[in-house]
Amino acid sequence: NGSFNLSYYKNGSELVLEPGTTSQYSEDYYKLPKANHEITVIDPYDYSYTGNDKDMVYETTIAVPIINNGIFYGAIGIDIELDKLTNIIEASHLYKTGFASIISHELQVSAHPNSKFQKKNVSEIIKDNVIIDKIKSGSNFETLERSSETGDKVIRYFTPIHLTGFSKPWTTMTEVPLKEVFEKVYITIEMLIINGLCSLIVLGIFV
């Protein structure tokens, strides 16, 4: 019997091996999967692998319990830098000014194209408790609201992110100004009318 506790991380181009300590067994990435016997996604946090604040990263941890015949033997996990998710979101374009964001199960805005919203609790942005409860429950739904940031009416789509073996889903939220959706609809209608008129003209020529 004994313990095996190691971590690997990259410091620049160097792969570093870091021996674990007994104090780490009280950390969430170990004690939560041990208690729940399920995959655990830790709420986002800032962390420095080198102990230097200038190397601080904003990340989450996905921890998977190692279980055999119902007995917990340990956990294995991976840390994911959320800045990379933000970069992907920033590069995505929804209509003209629409955007996507990611909300943790504990309601932390984990990735957002506007940095001032990142790390905030979504209840500071959306004041409707019914919507907050739906996010927490992992519901798939949409809302029509007025943005506190722009004052425009926006459509928001909330989609849970489900992982097999994980009971506390995160949520993606996409937001699009209603007027931009209507602009797209109007353009489509105009094209249909033009196509219809062209068809009538062509039929008139050949009939």
Side-chain angles (χ1 to χ4, degrees), residues 67-113:
I67 298 171
N68 186 34
N69 293 326
I71 300 174
F72 175 84
Y73 285 94
I76 184 168
I78 183 171
D79 298 333
I80 299 173
E81 289 187 43
L82 292 170
D83 287 343
K84 294 180 179 179
L85 288 179
T86 297
N87 291 339
I88 293 171
I89 285 174
E90 288 176 343
S92 303
H93 301 286
L94 302 173
Y95 292 83
K96 293 180 180 178
T97 62
F99 62 87
S101 60
I102 297 176
I103 304 166
S104 76
H105 184 261
E106 302 306 321
L107 304 178
Q108 186 177 158
V109 179
S110 307
H112 197 289

Side-chain angles (χ1 to χ4, degrees), residues 106-109 116-129 132 148-149 156:
E106 302 306 321
L107 304 178
Q108 186 177 158
V109 179
K116 80 175 186 178
F117 292 114
Q118 192 155 312
K119 302 183 184 181
K120 280 191 173 183
N121 190 292
V122 76
S123 62
E124 299 176 41
I125 305 166
I126 299 174
K127 304 298 184 180
D128 190 325
N129 288 332
I132 298 301
S148 59
E149 180 72 7
R156 289 175 175 151

Side-chain angles (χ1 to χ4, degrees), residues 48 50-56:
S48 172
T50 64
N52 192 327
D53 286 349
K54 71 179 181 64
D55 298 323
M56 199 75 72

Side-chain angles (χ1 to χ4, degrees), residues 29-204:
Y29 65 80
Y30 182 84
K31 70 178 185 181
L32 291 181
K34 179 181 181 180
N36 301 327
H37 282 209
E38 69 173 18
I39 293 173
T40 301
V41 182
I42 307 298
D43 217 44
Y45 56 91
D46 292 305
Y47 186 74
S48 172
Y49 292 91
T50 64
N52 192 327
D53 286 349
K54 71 179 181 64
D55 298 323
M56 199 75 72
V57 294
Y58 181 56
E59 65 181 18
T60 182
T61 298
I62 299 178
V64 180
I66 301 170
I67 298 171
N68 186 34
N69 293 326
I71 300 174
F72 175 84
Y73 285 94
I76 184 168
I78 183 171
D79 298 333
I80 299 173
E81 289 187 43
L82 292 170
D83 287 343
K84 294 180 179 179
L85 288 179
T86 297
N87 291 339
I88 293 171
I89 285 174
E90 288 176 343
S92 303
H93 301 286
L94 302 173
Y95 292 83
K96 293 180 180 178
T97 62
F99 62 87
S101 60
I102 297 176
I103 304 166
S104 76
H105 184 261
E106 302 306 321
L107 304 178
Q108 186 177 158
V109 179
S110 307
H112 197 289
N114 189 333
S115 60
K116 80 175 186 178
F117 292 114
Q118 192 155 312
K119 302 183 184 181
K120 280 191 173 183
N121 190 292
V122 76
S123 62
E124 299 176 41
I125 305 166
I126 299 174
K127 304 298 184 180
D128 190 325
N129 288 332
V130 173
I131 294 175
I132 298 301
D133 289 342
K134 284 184 176 181
I135 295 172
K136 285 283 288 183
S137 67
S139 299
N140 193 337
F141 65 102
E142 62 186 66
T143 64
L144 179 60
E145 304 171 69
R146 192 170 295 279
S147 169
S148 59
E149 180 72 7
T150 65
D152 295 332
K153 282 190 175 181
V154 297
I155 300 175
R156 289 175 175 151
Y157 298 92
F158 297 84
T159 306
I161 304 170
H162 290 290
L163 292 177
T164 301
F166 179 54
S167 62
K168 297 180 178 180
W170 287 26
T171 297
T172 59
M173 185 201 78
T174 55
E175 178 178 309
V176 180
L178 189 62
K179 62 184 179 182
E180 293 180 15
V181 176
F182 283 156
E183 284 175 8
K184 190 76 172 179
V185 172
Y186 291 149
I187 291 172
T188 301
I189 292 173
E190 287 175 358
M191 291 303 297
L192 288 172
I193 292 172
I194 291 170
N195 287 339
L197 288 173
C198 289
S199 297
L200 288 174
I201 291 170
V202 171
L203 286 173

